[in-house]
Amino acid sequence: MKAAIKCGKLFSARDGNAEKNKVVRVEGSKITEVISAEDYKPLPGEELIDLSDKFVMPGLIDGHVHIAFGGGLSISEVNEPEALVCVKAVRNVQDDLMGGFTTVRDLGFTSVRGSQCIRDAVNKGITWGPRIFTSGMYITQTGGHMSTSYPQDSFGQQNFKPVNSADGPYEVRTACRTMLKFGVDFLKIMVTGGVYSNSGDIGGQNMDYDEIKAAVDVAKMHNVVISCHAHGTSGIKDAARAGISSIEHCTLADDECIDYMLENNVCAVPTLLTFRGVMTHGKERGVGDATVAKAAFLSPQHAKNIKKIYERGVRCLFGTDTGTPLMVHGKQHGEFKCMTEAGISPEDTLLGATRYCAEFMKWDDRLGTIEPGKLADITAINGDPLKDMGDLSTENISFVMKDGEIYKQNGIPCRG
């Protein structure tokens, strides 16, 4: 495809500014040129795409989703066969792409290889969807957050315990190496309890410092990033002290936690919307009382602590925890408003869903900004989120391009 995209406002994500009257040229899968509309002259065979009344920006990156889960009242997929979960996951990621998310990070599938297979099927053109980076199956402890038995356990796919459980530094190293063997892009460990499991106190630490450090050491040896689920203060502190790459949720971080995060260049992925949604709508929608109570307890503290984290200089990435209860794929845009309401600037909120995520994933040479040579991942929005972050909503996603191919135009899906 050869196209020229005329932009009303262009947020290239090179910095926090939006420029008026720009034209982005695309040829094949890449951006070739960004010029002023005044200098634009049509090239032979070039299609003009008029987005002159839209806010144009790089394809959105959701830095924390669960493609195996569908956002129902419970995470029922843990009891379903792997093949069925994979089929449902394909539709989930397609919904994400229609929501403007051209790239997603999957932080925990229900099987060892499922998400890697979906990633590879998209990359090979067998099916369509966003670009997927995946941790495969998360690594937890016996009785820890999301420690459970899956149907596929009986098929002998694991060579130690249930495949997602590891206790002690040696087992943690083995689990990390096993996931790398099965082709994951990064690693994910569970450090504390969680809202959606019966693992005890939500803030209680499950994985100790030596176990966390073992996982971090394996990640560094293989030059991959490693993320951890952590709500409680002691778990956040030990993860940051061990040099984890990102802390997901980062709910009850105190000043000492933040000190370690700054010292070791640890990013935060707040996922504010998931607590707020369950707290606000969980009871009426049928979410369990214990889960609603946990979310209501944590949500105000979470926002307060994320504000402190951001103001002290920790980089905050955009991530939503989509797939967990009430978090429906393709409809996770409320996180943008949650981030700005917590005190993160509109500019950094948008950068957190574009350049910052690309840099974190070590793909900033290909993704995250609208510049010549980058992949042509482009999203256009009705309104101006820099003025009102509420404009960045599911209904206002007007145009979606990934790798130079249009998937939504004038708000109408071109695939599916």
Side-chain angles (χ1 to χ4, degrees), residues 1-6 24 26 46-54 56 97-100 102 128 378-382 394-402 404-416:
M1 181 181 188
K2 184 186 289 187
I5 302 172
K6 188 176 182 181
V24 179
V26 171
E46 184 176 69
E47 176 187 353
L48 178 63
I49 299 172
D50 188 0
L51 301 178
S52 57
D53 60 343
K54 310 297 181 190
V56 180
L97 182 57
M98 288 304 173
T102 57
W128 59 274
I378 297 170
T379 296
I381 301 147
N382 297 323
T394 306
E395 298 75 21
N396 281 341
I397 301 298
S398 176
F399 176 87
V400 180
M401 172 183 280
K402 179 203 164 201
E405 183 175 350
I406 298 172
Y407 287 84
K408 179 182 276 190
Q409 194 161 15
N410 299 319
I412 301 171
C414 303
R415 299 289 292 268

Side-chain angles (χ1 to χ4, degrees), residues 49 80 96 99 122 142 184 198 213 222 245 311 314 339 347 367:
I49 299 172
E80 295 178 340
D96 287 328
V122 171
T142 299
V184 299
N198 296 318
K213 188 65 167 60
H222 291 270
S245 306
E311 289 179 344
V314 172
M339 290 176 73
E347 293 81 5
L367 296 177

Side-chain angles (χ1 to χ4, degrees), residues 276-308:
R276 184 177 296 186
V278 170
M279 176 185 71
T280 307
H281 303 293
K283 189 169 184 178
E284 66 188 64
R285 297 282 297 277
V287 176
D289 289 344
T291 297
V292 174
K294 288 180 184 179
F297 171 74
L298 287 173
S299 187
Q301 298 179 72
H302 192 195
K304 180 180 177 180
N305 289 329
I306 291 301
K307 176 180 174 65
K308 186 190 299 183

Side-chain angles (χ1 to χ4, degrees), residues 230-243:
H231 289 294
T233 306
S234 65
I236 295 169
K237 193 177 302 179
D238 274 354
R241 185 162 64 95

Side-chain angles (χ1 to χ4, degrees), residues 75-110:
I75 302 174
S76 59
E77 292 84 359
V78 298
N79 297 313
E80 295 178 340
E82 177 181 8
L84 176 59
V85 175
C86 286
V87 172
K88 292 166 68 174
V90 170
R91 176 52 58 91
N92 289 339
V93 296
Q94 290 174 350
D95 288 342
D96 287 328
L97 182 57
M98 288 304 173
F101 294 95
T102 57
T103 300
V104 297
R105 284 182 77 231
D106 175 54
L107 275 92
F109 205 77
T110 61

Side-chain angles (χ1 to χ4, degrees), residues 49 100 123 145 193 195 227 261 296 348 351 399:
I49 299 172
N123 290 345
H145 182 50
V195 172
S227 300
M261 293 178 76
D348 277 331
L351 289 169
F399 176 87

